[in-house]
């Protein structure tokens, strides 16, 4: 059991866990479910998950395992590459019930990962933690197992980043209400990005001025990064740039006129064919 | 029905509920993105799935979604898959009201006959259903592209009658612009999800979200223009067909007139010789009326061309904006380096 495995989680999984927690039955304090994904050379990539109904008693756990295998089969039909890689639970600690559940999942796959998402918001943060089960104890004597933490990272496909960024706008909501956001039009998005860039540039400039005036400590790493950034702007002479700029602008304007022309042509065509009487 | 040009915000007759806007949960959005992206990168196929949610007043809430398996898998019937899936989801308290379906589209080419048919079936069985189109290419380039469409009442009427001749379309006032009506989408997240998003923003590196500032426009424009050219060619073919039909009808008319005149003169000649006039043959049996070509395909193609042109204009406008930004930067650099 390699302890240097890292777990890469996709944002979809986190969304699902939070949603399942919000929809739980009133008597359940926490929710559990299965993690699906792929395992590759010590890196476990979790791309999907679903929740499994379960009940916890004093020293017993009832989980609907047939439900879990049914849903896994359904999912497998859509996505044959996803396999069970572990299980998740909400809450901020690993309880004794967890080892029982973990045993079941150890039968479904090798080295199941256990992921916890702290929805009770202890420590004022929603901690995402992952654990592996390792056996401990004295050989020949009492043996047990322990959940050891491993690293968790968040990866996304490129479109997922775009989705997450849009959803993040709902965070900056009003005091009482949940703010809603619309998918932005192209132009508005570019405008907003340029605003963000100017903000970032201002920050960098204030830092540099502070260093020059002696208010802040110069940091070599930051300095080298700044040098990289400044050098990465392509050096073009004025004429080259003018040429490139003008030709691109001409192309785009021509395409815009063509598109408008096509639209008017369509309308004309429609009128002609529909309204001719014979 | 005839004076029913209503868009989603105007008053509609009582037997039709109107949907003013669609509200999606972040979860549904992310699941759609993930499924479409995986299908596009692995199999280069279109992803389809069902949308689950509720209808509240004039707002259609979409809270979850699940993907459909491919059609070539015969082990389980599609209906059965949907029902089993929804039953399982109901166990974990997910909204199980089927409110629509989604489809991914490459460069926005989604408007075709199967789509219209599916949406027609959905809308007749579930009054408020929508189809959400997700554009894979555009989102990879950095702009989230989600659009929700519903068929207009005229389009439903037209489909019910299954008659696509020009007179029918004229009566119903259906044109390529009134096939679909776009419903605005908003995204909403619960408070807990917002907290999770805050955590997430710390874990995702900052530079990953700036793909849309890319200046390269050639490849994208080429693709889009090529698709546009294909569609325009198709429309051209349809127009040629229609022209040929018109010429045929004209020729047939002339033939009919000539035949009638001949008949008249023959009858007059016979009367002069005191013979019985020839019976009046049924004109229509001799000259069968030529059926008008179906207008469905050209209408769809026109609608598709319209969406393409809109996309292209949008794309060009934002590319222009980016170019002007670089010009400003270059001018600033020149300004600094000359003195």
């Amino acid at each position: 059991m390699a302890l240097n495995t890292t777990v890469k989680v996709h944002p979809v999984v986190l969304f699902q866990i939070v949603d399942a927690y919000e929809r739980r039955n009133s008597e359940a304090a926490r929710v559990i479910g299965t993690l699906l994904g792929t395992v590759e050379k010590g890196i476990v990539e979790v791309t999907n998950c679903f929740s499994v109904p379960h009940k916890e008693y004093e020293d017993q756990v009832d989980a609907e395992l047939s439900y879990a295998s049914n849903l896994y089969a359904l999912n497998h039909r859509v996505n044959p590459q996803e396999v069970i890689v572990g299980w998740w639970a909400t809450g901020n600690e690993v309880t004794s019930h967890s080892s029982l559940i973990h045993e079941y999942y150890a039968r479904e796959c090798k080295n199941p990962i256990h992921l916890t998402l702290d929805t009770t918001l202890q420590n004022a943060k929603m901690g995402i933690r992952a654990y592996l089960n390792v056996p401990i104890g004295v050989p020949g004597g009492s043996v047990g197992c322990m959940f050891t933490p491993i690293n968790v990272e968040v990866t996304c496909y490129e479109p997922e980043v775009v989705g997450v960024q849009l959803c993040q706008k709902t965070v900056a909501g009003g005091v009482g209400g949940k703010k809603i956001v619309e998918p932005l039009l192209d132009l508005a998005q570019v405008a907003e990005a340029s605003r963000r860039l100017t903000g970032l540039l201002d920050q960098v400039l204030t830092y540099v001025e502070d260093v020059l005036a002696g208010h802040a400590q110069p940091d070599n790493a930051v300095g080298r990064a700044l040098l990289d950034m400044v050098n990465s702007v392509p050096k073009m002479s004025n004429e080259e740039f003018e040429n490139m700029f003008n030709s691109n602008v001409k192309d785009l304007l021509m395409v815009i006129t063509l598109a408008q022309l096509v639209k008017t042509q369509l309308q004309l065509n429609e009128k002609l064919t529909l309204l001719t009487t014979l | 029905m005839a004076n029913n040009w209503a868009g989603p915000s105007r008053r509609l007759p009582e037997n039709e509920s109107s949907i003013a806007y669609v509200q999606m949960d972040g979860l549904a959005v992310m699941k759609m993105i993930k499924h479409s992206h995986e299908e596009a990168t692995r199999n280069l196929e279109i992803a389809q799935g069902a949308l689950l949610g509720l209808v509240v007043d004039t707002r259609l809430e979409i809270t979850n979604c699940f993907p459909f398996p491919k059609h070539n898998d015969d082990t389980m019937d599609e209906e059965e898959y949907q029902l089993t899936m929804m039953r399982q989801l109901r166990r974990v308290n997910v909204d199980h009201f089927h409110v629509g379906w989604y489809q991914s589209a490459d460069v926005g080419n989604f408007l075709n006959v199967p789509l219209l048919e599916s949406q027609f079936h959905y809308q007749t069985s579930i009054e408020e259903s929508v189809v959400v189109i997700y554009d894979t290419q555009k989102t990879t380039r950095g702009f989230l592209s989600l659009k929700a469409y519903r068929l207009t009442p005229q389009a439903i009427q037209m489909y019910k009658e299954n008659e696509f001749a020009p007179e029918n379309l004229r009566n119903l006032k259906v044109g390529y612009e009134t096939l679909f009506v776009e419903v605005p989408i908003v995204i909403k997240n619960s408070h807990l999800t917002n907290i999770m998003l805050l955590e997430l923003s710390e874990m995702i590196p900052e530079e990953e979200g700036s793909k849309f500032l890319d200046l390269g426009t050639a490849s994208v424009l080429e693709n889009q223009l090529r698709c546009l050219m294909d569609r325009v060619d198709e429309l051209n073919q349809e127009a040629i067909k229609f022209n040929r039909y018109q010429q045929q009808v004209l020729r047939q008319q002339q033939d009919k007139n000539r035949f009638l005149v001949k008949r008249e003169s023959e009858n007059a000649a016979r009367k002069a010789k005191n013979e019985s006039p020839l019976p009046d043959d049924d004109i229509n049996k001799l000259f069968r009326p030529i059926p008008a070509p179906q207008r469905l395909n050209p209408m769809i193609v026109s609608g598709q061309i319209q969406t393409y042109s809109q996309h292209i204009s949008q794309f060009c406008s934002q590319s222009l904006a980016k170019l002007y930004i670089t010009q400003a930067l270059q001018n600033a650099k020149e300004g600094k380096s000359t003195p």
Side-chain angles (χ1 to χ4, degrees):
Chain A
M1 231 163 300
L3 281 180
N4 50 357
T5 40
T6 22
V7 179
K8 297 202 169 167
V9 180
H10 280 252
V12 189
V13 176
L14 300 173
F15 272 89
Q16 288 253 57
I17 298 181
V18 171
D19 186 73
Y21 179 74
E22 286 176 350
R23 290 175 186 278
R24 69 192 186 287
N25 290 325
S26 44
E27 65 273 352
R30 64 179 199 155
V31 199
I32 65 167
T34 313
L35 290 173
L36 304 167
T38 47
V39 184
E40 220 179 305
K41 289 198 223 105
I43 300 190
V44 180
E45 194 166 335
V46 182
T47 48
N48 207 347
C49 70
F50 57 83
S51 65
V52 175
H54 84 301
K55 294 203 218 330
E56 283 184 10
Y57 305 107
E58 264 300 326
D59 49 356
Q60 229 193 342
V61 176
D62 276 339
E64 304 210 13
L65 304 173
S66 56
Y67 176 92
S69 41
N70 270 346
L71 210 50
Y72 173 59
L74 286 177
N75 199 299
H76 203 76
R77 285 198 64 207
V78 182
N79 204 335
Q81 274 103 342
E82 283 183 352
V83 292
I84 298 184
V85 296
W87 64 290
W88 57 268
T90 58
N92 68 333
E93 50 183 23
V94 180
T95 64
S96 50
H97 302 127
S98 307
S99 49
L100 292 169
I101 307 175
H102 201 86
E103 266 182 43
Y104 162 67
Y105 278 99
R107 269 177 274 141
E108 298 276 328
C109 70
K110 307 191 311 181
N111 304 343
I113 305 278
H114 174 43
L115 190 75
T116 52
L117 186 69
D118 187 6
T119 40
T120 53
L121 299 173
Q122 307 233 349
N123 313 328
K125 260 173 89 87
M126 194 185 276
I128 306 171
R129 281 190 281 272
Y131 304 93
L132 261 186
N133 204 6
V134 285
I136 54 170
V138 182
S142 60
V143 199
C145 46
M146 180 182 79
F147 283 99
T148 38
I150 50 181
N151 292 333
V152 179
E153 284 176 14
V154 174
T155 55
C156 320
Y157 301 130
E158 268 168 25
E160 284 184 346
V161 180
V162 180
V164 170
Q165 282 187 336
L166 189 60
C167 293
Q168 275 172 346
K169 301 219 180 68
T170 63
V171 172
V175 176
K178 312 166 191 172
K179 186 142 175 243
I180 55 180
V181 71
E182 287 189 346
L184 289 175
L185 287 178
D186 296 6
L187 207 52
Q189 213 163 340
V190 176
E192 203 190 293
S194 45
R195 233 174 294 141
R196 219 186 319 151
L197 272 182
T198 40
L200 288 175
L201 281 174
D202 284 336
Q203 275 189 342
V204 172
L205 279 175
T206 36
Y207 169 75
V208 171
E209 279 170 20
D210 277 346
V211 170
L212 284 179
H215 294 312
Q217 285 288 9
D219 189 355
N220 277 339
V222 175
R224 251 170 281 151
L226 282 175
L227 189 65
D228 274 341
M229 180 183 81
V230 170
N231 279 337
S232 62
V233 177
K235 290 186 176 33
M236 277 196 289
S237 68
N238 225 4
E239 303 91 51
E240 280 179 28
F241 185 80
E242 287 286 325
N243 282 340
M244 187 254 335
F245 182 74
N246 282 334
S247 57
N248 271 338
V249 168
K250 266 186 270 186
D251 283 341
L252 291 173
L253 286 177
M254 174 188 81
V255 173
I256 292 185
T257 0
L258 274 180
Q260 303 289 63
L261 193 67
V262 166
K263 271 200 259 194
T264 9
Q265 186 82 355
L266 280 181
Q267 293 210 344
L268 204 61
N269 188 29
E270 186 82 18
K271 293 275 185 301
L272 282 179
T273 47
L274 265 194
L275 299 182
T276 33
T277 44
L278 294 161
Chain B
M1 274 292 180
N3 51 355
N4 219 355
W5 285 97
S9 50
R10 296 202 221 136
R11 199 170 56 84
L12 289 175
E14 317 83 42
N15 59 347
E16 291 205 35
S17 61
S18 64
I19 300 288
Y21 63 102
V22 173
Q23 177 179 289
M24 297 193 70
D25 254 14
L27 174 65
V29 174
M30 296 301 295
K31 277 179 90 162
M32 268 203 300
I33 295 180
K34 168 191 175 290
H35 181 223
S36 313
H37 182 85
E38 284 182 350
E39 286 299 318
T41 44
R42 275 192 211 142
N43 315 335
L44 293 172
E45 274 182 20
I46 295 185
Q48 286 184 338
L51 297 168
L52 308 164
L54 294 170
V55 179
V56 179
D57 300 330
T58 54
R59 156 177 102 225
L60 180 64
E61 286 194 16
I62 298 181
T63 50
N64 213 331
C65 65
F66 62 84
F68 287 156
K70 296 288 162 308
H71 294 284
N72 47 6
D73 200 355
D74 297 318
T75 46
M76 209 203 292
D77 190 21
E78 277 175 34
E79 286 271 342
E80 215 183 298
Y81 178 88
Q82 280 191 44
L83 288 174
T84 341
M85 198 62 167
M86 298 219 282
R87 224 177 294 139
Q88 304 284 42
L89 287 175
R90 202 190 314 190
R91 298 289 310 282
V92 281
N93 301 333
V94 176
D95 295 330
H96 53 272
F97 188 35
H98 197 161
V99 293
W101 60 298
Y102 68 87
Q103 183 176 306
S104 74
D106 209 17
V107 206
N109 58 342
F110 57 90
L111 206 55
N112 49 17
V113 183
L115 182 108
L116 276 184
E117 281 192 20
S118 314
Q119 181 60 8
F120 171 68
H121 287 307
Y122 263 91
Q123 247 175 279
T124 40
S125 47
I126 304 166
E127 190 61 53
E128 306 89 4
S129 66
V130 297
V131 56
V132 174
I133 303 287
Y134 162 80
D135 193 332
T136 39
Q137 285 270 350
K138 206 151 174 233
T139 315
T140 325
R141 263 181 285 125
F143 302 96
L144 181 61
S145 165
L146 277 178
K147 299 243 165 72
Y149 293 102
R150 280 167 57 77
L151 284 178
T152 51
Q154 301 99 300
I156 295 186
Q157 187 72 11
M158 172 186 86
Y159 237 96
K160 261 196 216 161
E161 301 177 4
N162 217 6
E163 259 285 339
F164 303 115
E167 307 88 49
N168 218 32
L169 297 184
R170 210 178 314 138
N171 289 343
L172 297 172
K173 294 201 177 62
V174 175
Y176 67 93
E177 281 170 334
T178 52
L179 271 182
F180 274 107
V181 74
E182 188 180 327
V183 185
I185 297 185
V186 293
I187 299 183
K188 173 187 91 67
N189 282 319
S190 63
H191 290 303
L192 208 55
T193 324
N194 284 342
I195 301 178
M196 193 267 295
L197 279 170
L198 281 173
E199 288 259 346
L200 207 58
S201 59
E202 290 178 15
M203 301 181 82
I204 299 183
E206 180 71 41
E207 57 275 4
E208 277 220 10
S210 29
K211 208 54 205 307
F212 60 93
L213 287 175
D214 191 14
L215 276 181
T217 56
S219 54
V220 176
L221 270 185
E222 257 179 61
N223 256 346
Q224 291 191 329
L225 284 178
R226 200 169 300 143
C227 295
L228 190 64
M229 284 197 310
D230 286 338
R231 289 283 169 278
V232 170
D233 275 339
E234 270 187 43
L235 193 62
N236 200 19
Q237 297 291 334
E238 297 285 338
I240 291 180
K241 241 196 276 178
F242 189 75
N243 282 341
R244 216 180 306 142
Y245 157 74
Q246 280 196 318
Q247 288 175 346
Q248 280 182 333
V249 169
L250 213 59
R251 224 178 304 140
Q252 195 190 46
Q253 197 79 355
Q254 290 177 338
D255 283 344
K256 259 198 229 178
N257 285 342
R258 238 180 297 136
F259 179 79
L260 276 174
V261 166
K262 213 170 59 160
R263 258 304 152 84
E264 278 294 321
S265 58
E266 276 193 26
N267 277 345
R270 281 175 180 250
K271 228 191 255 178
K273 294 194 210 158
N274 267 338
E275 289 175 17
S276 56
L278 286 168
D280 249 332
D281 293 330
D282 192 7
I283 294 282
N284 283 336
K285 259 197 268 178
L286 291 172
F287 297 95
R288 216 146 282 179
I290 307 177
Q294 299 285 354
R295 298 300 309 164
L296 182 64
N297 212 19
M299 209 164 43
I300 294 182
V301 175
S302 321
Q304 186 61 64
I305 297 183
Q306 167 108 354
T307 358
Y308 275 150
S309 348
Q310 234 171 331
H311 277 182
I312 292 181
S313 323
Q314 258 194 329
F315 177 75
C316 290
S317 59
Q318 51 101 335
S319 310
L320 272 177
K322 288 192 281 203
L323 275 179
Y324 275 103
I325 293 180
T326 38
Q327 190 190 43
L329 279 177
Q330 177 77 0
N331 288 343
K333 197 165 76 138
E334 290 298 317
K336 286 239 153 128
S337 57
T338 29

